[in-house]
């Protein structure tokens, strides 16, 4: 039986296009088909939220676990999904974690406790399904109790992998939750799932899983330090030999300037001149002075402290004095939105901001801008810097996390590289990199080289899928007996 494909069960609370609040949903949607293309048999386990019913209808039930129905459906990619249907936990209007007013659901411990338990059973000898995975792959805190159940309580348990997409969200609940969820009492220990007197779902995953991953090699290093370790740096440092950083890919069918239906003028490396029409359209759309010679800077994303929006505001005056223009698209903290609006008032025709979420406009910005700004203080992986390189819009970015790993920094006075990195997340650090970018921009041969270097880079999922595949195989060496079912 060892020649059948390795079976992987993805366990996550989000998967695009069915349910999405962030990048996790994109990874859970895109990585399984990439793994399938690499010869693995991957299925996804998700909660059956009420909103999913509208997407998939009454998917047929195939089994019952811990009192919940397991329904089976197919994602648009063709990947099979097992949906854990517990109507008393997931059959309600609102978001996956919060109600319509943005308050966390008070029973999130029960909701994701049951979900992870059910998924763990599916990856054990107790599964009622014929398809039994060789590996349980959990994502973020919502899946965190899965590895705990597998390690402590279930027979013939599959080994497990936990992926951290965002260490800042940990799923912390009162100590009584241990009893309420009928977890083995001994797991409530520092060498277990306890985090300063509370139960941490994420820590449970990170303690009990066999292998840990996060979404870039540099972030894997950073979270072992106190600054970005969110209190878990000790555990992550102890487990550093089992912790791997693998960068996310991008969907290069959606993000491809040669075929993108959302941009006014399509272009490619050998048709770079056609990018200019996108710049002109963007300047018009944002009420900026239409001038092909003025370097147009852009930023798209959440307007938060993490993303370094205050640093952009700090350098905006200088950027305009240097002849630059700036467009920003995003939503987030009210104070930062106000700061950006004030800049628009002060620099009419040179700075313009749109508050809102607009996927189509994000494409137009990637295509129309000259230089993309990403001064994130921390960035587990980040997507926009990859889109911008693909679109010949070199990024200026803080050398952190996935930004450091996916951008080849151009050195002082040079043209070799795909973007401009700076080390200190300060206004001065950002400005120094912007000046380097402007120098290169004003030397057309050099600028074209930087653009082309970025456009040539491979950000497809295939390379990352190969790395996950190698990790799975390290858990189940060839020749070992796999589950026969
Ligand atoms: P994070 O997950 O931390 O928000 P990422 O860069 O990993 O940051 O992914 C965010 C994604 O959401 C990117 O594809 C970005 O373009 C998109 N995005 C964020 N804000 C907006 C917005 N206001 N309008 C359109 N797209 C947005």
């Amino acid at each position: 039986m060892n020649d059948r494909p390795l079976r992987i069960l993805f366990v996550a609370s989000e998967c695009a296009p069915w349910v999405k609040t962030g990048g996790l949903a994109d990874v859970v949607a895109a990585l399984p088909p990439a793994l399938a293309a690499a010869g693995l048999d991957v299925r996804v386990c998700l909660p059956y939220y009420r909103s999913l019913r509208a997407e998939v209808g009454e998917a047929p039930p195939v089994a019952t676990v811990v009192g919940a129905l397991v329904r089976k459906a197919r994602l648009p990619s063709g990947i099979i999904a097992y949906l854990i249907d517990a109507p008393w936990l997931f059959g309600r209007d609102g978001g996956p974690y919060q109600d319509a007013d943005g308050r966390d659901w008070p029973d999130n411990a029960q909701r994701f406790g049951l979900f992870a338990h059910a998924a763990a059973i599916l990856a054990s000898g107790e599964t009622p399904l014929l398809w039994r995975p060789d590996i349980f792959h959990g994502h973020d805190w919502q899946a965190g109790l899965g590895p705990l159940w597998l390690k402590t309580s279930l027979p013939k348990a599959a080994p497990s992998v936990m992926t951290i997409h965002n260490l800042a969200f940990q799923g912390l609940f009162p100590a009584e939750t241990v009893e309420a969820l009928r977890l083995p009492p001994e797991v409530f220990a520092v060498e277990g799932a306890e985090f300063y007197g509370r139960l941490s779902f994420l820590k449970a995953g990170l303690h009990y899983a066999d292998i840990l991953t996060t979404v870039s090699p540099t972030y894997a290093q950073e979270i072992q330090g106190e600054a970005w370790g969110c209190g878990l740096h000790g555990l992550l440092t102890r487990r550093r030999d089992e912790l791997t950083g693998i960068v996310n890919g991008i969907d290069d069918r959606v993000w491809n300037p040669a075929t993108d239906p959302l941009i006014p003028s399509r272009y490619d490396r050998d048709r770079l001149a056609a990018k200019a029409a996108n710049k002109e359209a963007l300047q018009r759309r944002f009420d900026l002075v239409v001038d092909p010679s003025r370097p147009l800077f852009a930023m798209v994303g959440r307007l938060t402290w993490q993303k370094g929006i205050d640093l952009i505001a700090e350098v905006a005056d200088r950027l305009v004095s240097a002849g630059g223009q700036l467009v920003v698209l995003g939503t987030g903290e009210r104070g930062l939105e106000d700061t950006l609006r004030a800049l628009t008032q002060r620099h009419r025709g040179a700075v313009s901001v749109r508050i809102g979420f607009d996927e189509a406009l994000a494409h137009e910005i990637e295509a129309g801008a000259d230089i993309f700004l990403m001064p994130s203080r921390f960035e587990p992986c980040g997507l926009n810097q990859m889109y911008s390189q693909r679109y010949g819009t070199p990024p200026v970015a803080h050398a952190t996390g996935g930004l450091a790993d996916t951008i080849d920094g151009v050195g002082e006075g040079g043209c070799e590289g795909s973007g401009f990195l700076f080390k200190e997340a300060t206004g001065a650090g950002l400005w120094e990199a912007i000046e380097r970018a402007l120098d290169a921009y004003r030397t057309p041969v050099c600028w074209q080289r930087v653009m082309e270097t970025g456009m040539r880079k491979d950000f497809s999922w295939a390379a990352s899928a190969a790395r996950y595949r190698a990790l799975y195989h390290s858990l189940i060496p060839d020749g070992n007996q796999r589950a026969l079912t």
Side-chain angles (χ1 to χ4, degrees), residues 23 300-302 307 329-331 356-359 362 379 382-384 387:
V300 177
R302 291 183 290 119
K307 300 288 178 183
L329 166 66
T331 56
F357 194 99
D358 187 336
E359 179 95 24
E379 193 63 80
L383 292 170
N384 276 315
Y387 301 152

Side-chain angles (χ1 to χ4, degrees), residues 20-24 26 165-166 248 255 299-304 306-307 329-331 354-363 365-366 372 374 376 378-387 403:
K20 172 169 172 170
T21 71
L24 166 68
D26 290 324
H165 299 263
N166 195 336
N248 292 331
W255 292 95
M299 191 272 163
V300 177
R302 291 183 290 119
L303 305 178
T304 61
Q306 180 202 333
K307 300 288 178 183
L329 166 66
T331 56
R354 290 290 145 83
I355 304 298
F357 194 99
D358 187 336
E359 179 95 24
L361 190 52
H363 283 247
I365 291 173
E366 292 287 4
F372 204 87
M374 265 186 108
S376 306
F378 71 97
E379 193 63 80
C381 181
L383 292 170
N384 276 315
Q385 81 281 8
M386 294 192 264
Y387 301 152
L403 301 174

Side-chain angles (χ1 to χ4, degrees), residues 214-229:
T214 186
V215 289
S216 69
T218 297
Y219 192 59
Q221 291 298 321
E222 288 169 344
I223 56 180
Q224 293 176 43
E226 205 172 338
W228 303 118

